[in-house]
Amino acid sequence: MTIIVPIYNEIDNLDRVEKTFLEYLAQSPTKSQVLFVDDGSRDGSFEKISKICEHPDFHFIKFRQNRGLSTAIKAGIDHANTELIGYIDADLQTTPFDFDKLLGEINTCDAVIGYRAKRKDTLSKKIQSRIANAIRRKLIDDGVIDTGCPLKVLRTDKVKKIPFFDGMHRFIPALLKLEGGEIKQMEVQHFERIAGQSKFNIFNRSIKPLQDAFAYRWMRSRYIRYEIEQTDI
């Protein structure tokens, strides 16, 4: 598994990220590597990442400038060459140790998506996320409990086929379903952010997801699907 970790100005978290992933990789039965995607950080994060990546199980991609979370995830997927892809945020509000829980179900589906039943966020963040999730479910009816949960395990061959656009990180399960993928959902642990600053606000938690939901509805109505019955190629 390649574990994608997008990084944008997370210097205060990176010592803990390194320690936590070294512990996880040492005990996990699944052979994994970590791929940091530095999204144009300006706080010294990349200098720290480059030192972490002296370890053979850690690798990096560095953007020339900030391009956003969806682009960082896409770059990680584009460069993954393993059967499975994991995704987790650098704030460690979820834990890589829960990957093993999700991996236990991946043989029966195309993606296992975590959901945060006991969130440790501020009240305002909880309200914003609930509004965004409610709007998304109403508009696209994808059946996903918590599409913003930053802990996922995906089959690489499936996720490489889905269309990408800015904001697609909110719609990975829905986009996989467009490709005929099967999704499972499992409860995962959630923790308070103890370092660094959240990159989300009322605009990119509520207003932007509403715009993206309409974009997804438009794309879904025009999505190309076909099955070949015969060919002589």
Side-chain angles (χ1 to χ4, degrees), residues 165-167 170-171 207-217:
F165 55 92
D166 188 27
R170 305 180 186 93
F171 298 92
I207 299 173
K208 188 66 165 60
L210 175 61
Q211 296 171 333
D212 293 338
F214 280 110
Y216 172 84
R217 280 167 59 96

Side-chain angles (χ1 to χ4, degrees), residues 70 73 77 87 102 109-115 133 136-137 140-155 158-159 161-165 167-186 216 219-220 223 225:
S70 291
I73 294 172
I77 291 171
Y87 165 59
L102 305 188
C109 60
D110 299 297
V112 188
I113 309 299
Y115 67 89
N133 274 311
R136 176 187 50 79
R137 286 193 295 266
I140 69 176
D141 190 27
D142 60 0
V144 177
I145 300 168
D146 181 13
T147 193
C149 178
L151 197 75
K152 299 175 174 66
V153 173
L154 316 161
R155 289 201 169 276
K158 278 287 185 179
V159 76
K161 293 178 181 178
I162 65 176
F164 284 83
F165 55 92
M168 60 72 59
H169 61 276
R170 305 180 186 93
F171 298 92
I172 289 175
L175 291 166
L176 284 168
K177 285 186 174 184
L178 281 181
E179 279 291 328
E182 182 178 349
I183 308 297
K184 288 192 174 182
Q185 302 180 75
M186 301 187 72
Y216 172 84
M219 183 179 64
R220 182 177 61 185
Y223 201 68
R225 301 180 187 85

Side-chain angles (χ1 to χ4, degrees), residues 23-48:
E23 291 173 353
Y24 171 70
L25 295 176
Q27 66 86 49
S28 175
T30 300
K31 175 63 177 175
S32 298
Q33 59 184 356
V34 178
L35 177 57
F36 296 109
V37 183
D38 184 82
D39 186 17
S41 295
R42 295 176 177 271
D43 66 343
S45 289
F46 177 69
E47 288 73 18
K48 180 65 179 178

Side-chain angles (χ1 to χ4, degrees), residues 13 26 45 60-61 84-85 155 163 171-172 195 205 210 232:
N13 276 309
S45 289
F60 69 81
I61 296 169
L84 300 174
I85 289 173
R155 289 201 169 276
F171 298 92
I172 289 175
R205 283 186 183 273
L210 175 61
D232 66 350

